[in-house]
Structures are given as C-alpha cells and as structure tokens.
C-alpha cells in the first residue's frame, strides 16, 4: 500500500465548481452535401473500421474517396439529390430533451449536441463551447443507436481527445464532474413505445387485409461485427432489446424476426440474419405483409432510410404480391423526448449534488512514479507480511465469492515476489 502525500489528493475547491450541468447528446451527424463525403467516410473508417478490420491505415483516404463516389451515385442518381434529415431531427431531439429537463431543473441544465463526423459540431468544438460557458459538470449521452457500448466507445474516444485539447495547461482541469449514460436498450418505456408503434401501424393499415399470423415484423438493429478486437460490439444490448420488443408483440403476431442492418464489408463477419434474409424467411413462413421497424436507431439516417428502401425495392422485384411497410424511427416524438430526459434525471441529480473534484494533470508523472513502487521499497516490505495475512482473511471470509481461484493465485504471487 503506497501512501500518497496529502497534497496530491485532489481537494474540492468551492470557488471553481459550477452547479450547472451540460448534457452532451452524441450522434453520428450526417453530411448534407456530397463534397463532405470523402472526409466523412475517412473519419468513419478511422473510428469504426479500425476497431474490427484487419485494414492498414494508409488505405483509409483512397478508400474513403472511392466510397464517396458510390455514395454520390446512390444519393444523386438513385435518390434525386437526397439530403439526409438526420441532423435536423437530431436538433429537434436535443431541443425536446432540453425542454423536458428544463421543466424540472430550469436553466441549471443545458443540452448540447455533438456529431462524431460533422463540423461545426465535432466533440472538440462543442466541448470548447461548453468550457467557455463556464460549465464544470458534464453528462455524456450517446443517443443515436442502442448498441452504444460500442458506438459510444467511439464517442468517449472523441470526448477524451477533445478533453486533452481543451485543457488549457493551467494546473486545474476545467472539468470537475462527469457522468455517462451507457445505453437505453433495457428501458421499459422505450420498449413499450416501439411495440405500440408497430401495433398501431398494423391495426390502422394492415389488419383489414392481412391475418395476424400472416403479418411479418422485422425489428431492425444496427449491424455489429462479431469480432471487434476485444471491444464490446453491442450485440448483447441489441439482442436483449429485440427480445424484449418481440415478447410484447409475439402473442398477437407470431411472425417476427430480428434484422441486422449490416455494412457488408469484406473479411468481416457480421450479425445475421441481415434485413433481406429476415424478410425472406418470414415470407417463407407465409407472411403476406412485412413491417420493417427500426428499433436499434432512434434517429433517422441513411441506413434507416436509403438502405431499408433499397432492401424493400429489391424484395418487391422478387415478391410483388407482398405488402411492404417501412416504419420511421421514434425520432422527435414527444413521448420519446420525455422518456429520454427521464432516463438521465438521476444522473443529473447526482451531478448537481456533487461537489466536484479538481484534477491536476501536472501530477500524473508523480503519481505514476508512486504507483510503480520504485521509491517505496522499504515501506512496501514493511507492509508485505501484513498484506499476505490480510488477503488470507478475505479469502476465508468468502469475500471473493466465485473468484476463489483468482484470490489463491493472488495470494501465492505475494509470497513469491
């Protein structure tokens, strides 16, 4: 056990902790003009693909330009100069969540948006703005997709880079308190909202002409790579969300399948069945109508719009006798804004009540030295025997539960070192 000198421990400093909270909603952001595509693709490849593909980094810029050409063809020629509504929907979501939070907290809470890939809302630009407004408390809230443990790993990566950049070099870091909303895949009100939207759509548009047992439902998740170099890729959360929504619907509508919206990249094994296969399977089981509902995305984007549209037009050519219904994401539905505000209310209560800790980046080297134990040999040996016994007590008291093997190893390690 290394004693850290009292002066090194960060002490709360009343004068510098602001009691307001900045909520940072994070989405991908989507380019609205072709010119930005190559840059967007390069950043996306860098952040996303690097986590799971055996691709050398020099390939990103030329690959990004190539993808931009495909995108241009798809958006300009096939979709008549498509402009993504993603950014404006995301802004309405930000505004709605802020309205609901301010109804309770007033001006103590402000909601900002950051896009992983789109200036002028890149995380570093937005964090610089939050800092300049004097905030010292931050809630990081990835909103766009539910597999956010993976996607927001990217969000956190960018936030960390930005925090390193917005640190002005004075001894105190401006940020005193942080919280993080990992995902909302298991929020009962979100699950309920999705099931209700599907049921309403079927009752209003399909029930008159299709039997419930012939009404197929494809619940669409954000595709995930199976191997992501050890990163959690979000499959578990997405799967649990699907299971929960399916459970709500299956007693009335037995034909339900998960459908993963994959980016079919070479050499990478993606989640299955993809949306096309899922729909074909339901038709094989006798579906005369198929509803496509995005559950893994809460904001419309080119995957939920263009990709699903492509899939449906491809299926329609093969099976023109089937009715296809493309549903929107929850988007800026006010029920959704209210629940999304509710999910983080407890975290905001925490942040507002918290004193905040002053962090001194200049002390990192000093601390690292402390923890490496080089300068504390005599102190370390003095504690050595005691530590062994101390561990033993824990071991016998069953503190380690199922981890006994580990604690024995640990115990032995101490005696031999």
């Amino acid at each position: 056990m290394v004693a850290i000198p009292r002066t090194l421990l960060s002490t709360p400093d009343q004068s510098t902790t602001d009691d307001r909270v900045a909520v940072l909603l994070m989405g991908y952001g989507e380019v609205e003009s072709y010119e930005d595509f190559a840059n967007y693709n390069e950043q996306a490849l860098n952040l996303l693909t690097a986590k799971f593909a055996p691709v050398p980094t020099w390939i990103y810029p030329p690959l990004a330009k190539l993808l931009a050409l495909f995108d241009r063809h798809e958006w300009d020629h096939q979709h008549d100069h498509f402009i993504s509504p993603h950014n404006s929907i995301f802004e309405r979501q930000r505004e709605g969540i802020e309205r609901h939070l301010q109804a309770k907290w007033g001006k103590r809470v402000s909601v900002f948006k950051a896009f992983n890939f789109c200036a002028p809302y890149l995380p570093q630009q937005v964090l610089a703005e939050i800092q300049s407004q004097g905030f010292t408390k931050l809630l990081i809230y990835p909103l766009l997709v539910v597999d956010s443990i993976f996607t927001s790993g990217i969000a956190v990566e960018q936030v960390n880079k930005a925090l390193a950049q917005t640190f002005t070099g004075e001894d105190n870091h401006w940020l005193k308190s942080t919280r993080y909303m990992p995902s909302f895949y298991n929020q009962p009100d979100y699950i309920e909202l999705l099931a209700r939207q599907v049921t309403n759509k079927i009752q209003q548009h399909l029930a008159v002409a299709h039997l419930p047992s012939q009404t197929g439902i494809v619940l669409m998740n954000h595709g995930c790579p199976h191997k992501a170099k050890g990163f959690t890729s979000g499959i578990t959360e997405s799967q649990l969300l699907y299971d929960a929504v399916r459970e709500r619907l299956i007693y009335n509508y037995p034909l339900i399948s998960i459908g993963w919206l994959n980016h079919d990249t070479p050499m990478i094994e993606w989640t299955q069945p993809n949306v096309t296969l899922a729909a074909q399977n339901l038709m094989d089981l006798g579906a005369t109508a198929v509803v496509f509902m995005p559950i893994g995305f809460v904001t419309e984007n080119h995957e939920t719009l263009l990709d699903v549209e492509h899939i449906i037009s491809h299926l329609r050519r093969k099976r023109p006798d089937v009715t296809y219904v493309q549903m929107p994401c929850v988007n800026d539905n006010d029920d959704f804004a209210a629940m999304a505000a509710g999910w983080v209310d407890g975290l905001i209560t925490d942040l507002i009540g918290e004193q905040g800790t002053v962090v001194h980046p200049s002390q990192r080297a000093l601390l690292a030295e402390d923890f490496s134990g080089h300068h504390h040999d005599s102190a370390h040996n003095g504690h050595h025997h005691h530590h062994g016994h101390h561990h033993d007590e824990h071991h016998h008291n069953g503190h380690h539960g199922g981890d006994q093997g580990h604690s024995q190893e640990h115990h032995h390690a101490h005696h031999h070192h």
Side-chain angles (χ1 to χ4, degrees), residues 19 28 83 120 131 190 193 253 301 310 334 359:
D19 83 332
Y28 285 161
I83 290 180
Q131 179 186 11
Y190 178 59
L193 176 66
Y253 305 104
N301 58 83
H310 270 266
D334 195 55
V359 174

Side-chain angles (χ1 to χ4, degrees), residues 220 261 275 292 302-313 326:
M220 299 182 296
L261 278 167
V275 175
F292 296 84
H302 71 267
E303 286 178 69
T304 60
L305 292 169
L306 300 190
D307 293 5
V308 177
E309 219 172 275
H310 270 266
I311 290 164
I312 291 176
S313 66
Q326 183 176 356

Side-chain angles (χ1 to χ4, degrees), residues 203-221:
Q203 286 171 353
Q204 288 159 17
H205 296 101
L206 297 172
V208 64
H210 301 270
L211 292 168
S213 69
Q214 296 177 316
T215 305
I217 301 168
V218 177
L219 299 172
M220 299 182 296
N221 269 323

Side-chain angles (χ1 to χ4, degrees), residues 31-42 68 117-119:
V31 289
E32 294 177 2
S33 80
Y34 167 74
E35 279 54 50
D36 304 325
F37 255 130
N39 178 36
Y40 174 98
N41 283 330
E42 188 176 340
F117 311 121
C118 287

Side-chain angles (χ1 to χ4, degrees), residues 97-169:
I97 292 169
E98 183 175 73
R99 186 164 29 83
H100 284 284
L101 286 172
Q102 288 184 349
K104 173 170 181 180
W105 297 105
K107 293 288 181 232
R108 284 196 288 180
V109 174
S110 298
V111 180
F112 297 82
K113 63 172 181 224
F115 290 141
N116 297 123
F117 311 121
C118 287
Y121 296 103
L122 292 168
Q124 73 199 63
Q125 296 172 301
V126 182
L127 281 161
E129 174 60 26
I130 289 171
Q131 179 186 11
S132 75
Q133 290 189 26
F135 286 93
T136 61
K137 295 178 172 184
L138 180 68
L139 170 61
I140 303 166
Y141 193 166
L143 192 73
L144 170 70
V145 271
V146 267
D147 70 347
S148 60
I149 302 288
F150 181 65
T151 308
S152 58
I154 294 157
V156 174
E157 179 182 351
Q158 283 187 303
V159 165
N160 281 336
K161 218 175 254 174
L163 289 174
Q165 284 168 344
T166 59
F167 173 59
T168 47

Side-chain angles (χ1 to χ4, degrees), residues 48-107:
L48 291 159
T49 319
K51 306 273 187 299
F52 50 81
V55 178
T57 32
W58 59 262
I59 217 160
Y60 293 145
L63 190 55
K65 286 198 177 56
L66 183 67
L67 287 172
L69 292 172
F70 291 136
D71 286 337
R72 171 162 222 169
H73 172 73
E74 182 183 333
W75 288 34
D76 270 7
H77 305 297
Q78 299 178 6
H79 291 276
D80 194 30
H81 307 286
F82 174 79
I83 290 180
S84 171
H86 173 280
N87 297 3
S88 53
I89 294 170
F90 201 83
E91 169 54 30
R92 294 197 296 274
Q93 288 175 317
R94 184 205 66 75
E95 189 275 324
I97 292 169
E98 183 175 73
R99 186 164 29 83
H100 284 284
L101 286 172
Q102 288 184 349
K104 173 170 181 180
W105 297 105
K107 293 288 181 232

